[in-house]
C-alpha cells in the first residue's frame, strides 16, 4: 500500500503525459502488479477525458427514463398508485 502512495503523484503526472520515460516505465511496472492503481488510472483517465471535452453530456434518454421509472415505483410503493 505504501508503494501505491509513493506512486500517486507520478500516476497523476503519468496521466497528464508529463512523466519522464524512466518514471513512466516504473509506473507501468507497478500498474502491472497493482489492480488498485490500474483502477485509479482508469478512473482518472476518464475524468481527464471528460474534463478535456469541456462539455457535460446530457443523461442519455434511456437512463433518464429508467431513473424516472425507478422514482415513480418508489413513490407508488410509499403512497400507493395515484
Ligand atoms: Zn499501486
Amino acid at each position: 500500500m505504501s508503494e501505491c502512495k509513493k506512486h500517486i503523484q507520478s500516476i497523476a503526472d503519468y496521466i497528464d503525459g508529463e512523466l519522464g520515460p524512466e518514471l513512466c516505465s516504473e509506473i507501468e511496472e507497478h500498474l502491472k502488479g497493482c489492480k488498485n492503481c490500474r483502477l485509479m488510472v482508469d478512473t482518472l483517465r476518464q475524468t481527464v477525458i471528460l474534463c478535456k471535452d469541456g462539455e457535460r453530456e446530457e443523461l442519455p434518454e434511456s437512463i433518464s427514463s429508467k431513473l424516472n421509472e425507478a422514482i415513480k415505483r418508489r413513490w407508488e410503493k410509499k403512497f400507493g398508485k395515484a
Side-chain angles (χ1 to χ4, degrees):
M1 213 43 188
S2 57
E3 268 290 282
C4 295
K5 272 190 189 155
K6 204 176 76 185
H7 285 309
I8 282 176
Q9 185 53 50
S10 306
I11 285 172
D13 290 342
Y14 172 72
I15 290 164
D16 285 339
E18 285 169 5
L19 207 59
E22 214 168 284
L23 273 171
C24 209
S25 57
E26 203 176 293
I27 289 300
E28 275 165 358
E29 200 55 44
H30 177 77
L31 287 176
K32 266 186 223 163
C34 183
K35 204 177 160 192
N36 280 337
C37 285
R38 274 209 305 275
L39 261 173
M40 185 163 74
V41 167
D42 278 351
T43 311
L44 285 173
R45 262 209 182 116
Q46 274 165 18
T47 313
V48 168
I49 288 166
L50 284 176
C51 286
K52 278 184 178 158
D53 267 356
E55 22 184 312
R56 241 164 229 277
E57 280 195 40
E58 290 285 320
L59 216 52
E61 188 68 33
S62 58
I63 293 178
S64 164
S65 63
K66 265 192 196 126
L67 205 64
N68 278 331
E69 256 173 55
I71 292 169
K72 209 175 119 201
R73 264 204 305 275
R74 232 181 245 187
W75 180 273
E76 284 175 356
K77 219 176 184 179
K78 204 169 180 185
F79 300 108
K81 285 202 177 194

